[in-house]
Amino acid sequence: MRILFLGDMVGKTGREAVYNRLPKIRDRLSVDLAIVNGENAASGFGITRKIYQATLDAGADVVTTGNHVFDQKEVLNWASEEDRFLRPANWPGGVPGRGSTMVETNDGRRVLVANIMGRVFMHPELDDPFKAAEDILAAAPMGDVVDAIVIDFHAEATSEKQCFGHFVDGRASLVVGTHTHIPTADHQVLVGGTGYLSDAGMCGDYDSSLGMDKEEPLNRFLTKVPKGRMEPASGEATVCGVLVVTDDSTGLATGVEPLRVGGRLAEVWPTI
Ligand SMILES: [Fe+2]
Ligand SMILES: [Fe+2]
């Protein structure tokens, strides 16, 4: 199976790049299932139902999020109704939405997608991400209940991301990091057969600070005094992500390679 994952869409330029490019990327790479992280899609902060729907219409099968999931308060009203919308599974109890979902490809293969958040350098109040993964994986063994499993591990620290990858190695098809908005070059199939990448990077303008117009973040570093609002940068976005190819009999990865297209970053297409 061929599964595409795209990193955090940031603002209008990130959304439009994904809307415009995803159908062609799906064709060119013969993608069976596509997942997009949408946590920064609404002006950099959260997502609306309209954006969620437009992302599905563009060819995403599942939209994941992260720490910004509830920035737009309307999400609280609809998150539980949309079974292709994920918030971090280890968010403490009682919040709307779900942390994992089962979807099917057009030809009926079953894919479990999970969204889990790290706690190092961010949100220590969240539940244990390793325990959350254990619970999700125990309920859906690959090659039995599901044909593939993708985990969007939304975290700051590469140490936590790598350890999470090793923890689920052999039990998931792909662990892909999100949140830092900067793509890493460590894509690999781990020893147990799980595809891994510490961070997919963002779908956003890289003439920026993490997708936001660079003037205000730079001002805050220089003066420690906020001057204005953080606004998404508006130059052409680079669509950043990763393609994993899995063995349908085991669910494990046979290859994992990055994708970067458009905007300022050098173009990279998977060769698998
Ligand atoms: Fe993000
Ligand atoms: Fe984030």
Side-chain angles (χ1 to χ4, degrees), residues 34-248:
I35 304 157
V36 179
N37 185 302
E39 74 147 5
N40 306 105
S43 301
F45 299 95
I47 186 168
T48 63
R49 196 173 206 168
K50 195 173 151 200
I51 293 171
Y52 161 72
Q53 192 56 54
T55 308
L56 295 189
D57 292 345
D61 295 285
V62 177
V63 174
T64 60
T65 58
N67 53 306
H68 288 291
V69 58
F70 297 120
D71 285 1
Q72 304 292 324
K73 295 301 167 217
E74 60 151 273
V75 170
L76 294 164
N77 300 326
W78 55 264
S80 297
E81 295 166 15
E82 300 289 352
D83 62 4
R84 291 168 180 262
F85 180 79
L86 298 183
R87 48 112 175 122
N90 54 328
W91 208 279
V95 291
R98 72 206 74 215
S100 62
T101 192
M102 183 94 81
V103 289
E104 284 194 1
T105 61
N106 285 338
D107 57 7
R109 286 173 286 177
R110 300 152 302 174
V111 181
L112 180 82
V113 184
N115 193 186
I116 297 176
M117 246 180 85
R119 298 189 294 186
V120 176
F121 305 140
M122 66 194 301
H123 295 272
E125 73 280 10
L126 293 182
D127 292 342
D128 183 347
F130 294 85
K131 173 72 166 62
E134 195 65 55
D135 292 346
I136 290 167
L137 293 172
M142 279 201 312
D144 179 12
V145 176
V146 294
D147 298 300
I149 296 176
V150 175
I151 303 177
D152 172 351
F153 189 62
H154 195 81
E156 185 77 53
T158 43
S159 57
E160 191 178 24
K161 288 172 162 177
Q162 281 192 315
C163 284
F164 184 86
H166 295 311
F167 180 67
V168 305
D169 187 16
R171 297 187 286 166
S173 312
L174 175 70
V175 170
V176 56
T178 54
H179 177 69
T180 72
H181 294 196
I182 303 293
T184 60
D186 59 337
H187 53 282
Q188 59 171 309
V189 178
L190 299 175
V191 294
T194 294
Y196 177 82
L197 175 65
S198 288
D199 207 292
M202 66 174 168
C203 298
D205 176 8
Y206 279 81
D207 179 21
S208 70
S209 173
L210 309 185
M212 306 309 274
D213 188 283
K214 61 196 177 192
E215 197 172 316
E216 178 59 17
L218 178 56
N219 162 66
R220 292 187 192 185
F221 279 113
L222 293 175
T223 69
K224 319 290 184 238
V225 180
K227 209 185 257 175
R229 284 165 52 95
M230 295 276 201
E231 302 279 358
S234 57
E236 186 192 346
T238 304
V239 168
C240 287
V242 64
L243 179 78
V244 65
V245 179
T246 67
D247 178 335
D248 279 334

